Amino acid sequence: MRMTAPTPDSSPAAAPARRRVLSGLGAGTALGAVAVATAGSATAAPTAAPAATPAATPAAAPFAAATTTTDPVLHLLRRATFGPTPALVAEVRKTGTTAWLDAQLAPLTAVPDPAMDALLKRWTRLGWKTWQVRERLPDTDRWAVMMEVVESHLARALFSRRQLLETVVDFWTNHLVVPVPSSEVWDNAHLFQRDVVRRHALGRYSDMLNAAARHPAMLKVLDNADSTKRAPNENYGRELLELHTVGVGNYTETDVRMSARVLTGLSVDGESGLFSYKPQRRYVGPVKVLGWSDPNPVAEDGVAVATRYLTYLAQHPATANRIARKLAVRYVSDTPPATLVTKLAQVYLANGTAIAPVLRALFLSPEFAASVGQKVRTPYEDALASCRVLGLTPEPAPTSGDSNLRHLFWALGSFGQAPMGWPAPNGYPDVAAAWNGASSTLNRWNFHLGLAGNWTLKAMTRPAVTTFVPSPLPSTYAALVDALAARLFVTLTAAQREAICRFVDHAPSDPLRAGSAAVTWRLPSIVALLLDSPNFAIR
């Protein structure tokens, strides 16, 4: 069962004028073309997520005309966080990028996060065990804990100081896919996130893979809970090879059948909802997958055999290469250099599948340093980065389930990328070509304007955009636009600067006076245009 996300709350756009200025902001780019075609409408129907990952295109090719800074601090924070903020940029400039990175790779000990820890106490049901969820929630409220999962996921991404951890958690959430909300995991999705994804996000992938195979959420979503020796269900056995480990081209259909047999017996207890090993369902006899084999002589040893198999897959060179490449696609480029992928795979194997050393090697690599401008934010990342750079703060605890975080969840669904919302086991695509749809883009623009004008997510307080205007007042319109762009970490071309000035009916060199429309009622629109630009879209 899945729900349809309603249209997010957003304010009307000043359509004709925005159409002209957005064309100037993105002339010659895919985003600029979309602006010309679609900015005349204030709203658009929610767009569905892409049906499949498209073929990779050269990095951020659709945004080739976008400009971004080569500042190493901003480059790191665009990739290793959900968006830089003025406070975070100042912190990293003070500590240095390597020291900040090392702390982020040991977040539980090196990055105190008391404000986030206090905020998480709001979602009390995340600590419930499966039987408590089943006993305490009526049938009419079965989605309650799952909504706490996505709300807390968004809260951490927005407000946690452990930003790198949150991006990695999101990466693994999109790798070991358990769709939320979903009727199959209403009583255990929160425990999958806690015990599988978060617990092992920066640890060893072999541990995460084994934990997933023992979790009711994965076993139910991929149908292994119903697999038996007489009728092995191949769904989990196949996805384990195709998506979770070695990848397409590295296994045969015989491997898939054997993989399914190895996993028989790993099931779920119908009464408790907990993981249950059922030896009566276990296939017994020799099994062989790729270069691994086991006599598998007795049903009672099925868990141990499956553990050896999963550990073998996690340590397979093809898995190392696949995980390395996926991490490089997430943090470096849509088409990462083969040299980098090879190097990261070697680090992965040399460290017993540990992820933190791989990420350290990635972020300190020359390939990463040279990748400025080669990634584009997904709709999800764009929304979070917009909230973060505008300084949104957590809302007071809502008295009902109608929280701003839930509004944000539904809004992201209208962009085609609600967190944990991808229904297929292959996860959301992470290449620029997948997210160039006109409807999704227009929804983002309306979202930016709603944020800047304080019409959207109003319970999350934020500084008034008037505080972004320097004092003393800039002398010209160009100087004002430059100051706002710097505050939002956007690097403009001369043509883009002029386009925004023309939007408020002035030349860049015109003198700016106190009380002018550009620093009063039209200021939110200028801020929104800067967030609309291809430059802000660069990850």
Side-chain angles (χ1 to χ4, degrees), residues 116 133 215 250 270 289 315 320 327 362 466 475:
M116 190 71 242
V133 177
H215 200 282
N250 292 302
V289 184
Q315 296 173 346
L327 286 169
L362 182 155
T466 53
S475 59

Side-chain angles (χ1 to χ4, degrees), residues 203-207 311 314-315 347-356 358:
R204 298 195 307 172
Y205 183 57
S206 58
D207 294 337
T311 302
Q315 296 173 346
V347 174
Y348 172 93
L349 292 172
N351 288 273
T353 78
I355 299 304
V358 178

Side-chain angles (χ1 to χ4, degrees), residues 393-438:
T393 60
E395 65 182 304
T399 55
S400 68
D402 191 32
S403 71
N404 272 196
L405 286 167
R406 192 164 301 187
H407 291 177
L408 178 58
F409 172 76
W410 297 126
L412 288 165
S414 77
F415 304 163
Q417 201 182 12
M420 306 183 199
W422 187 261
N426 61 339
Y428 284 113
D430 192 18
V431 293
W435 301 107
N436 285 337

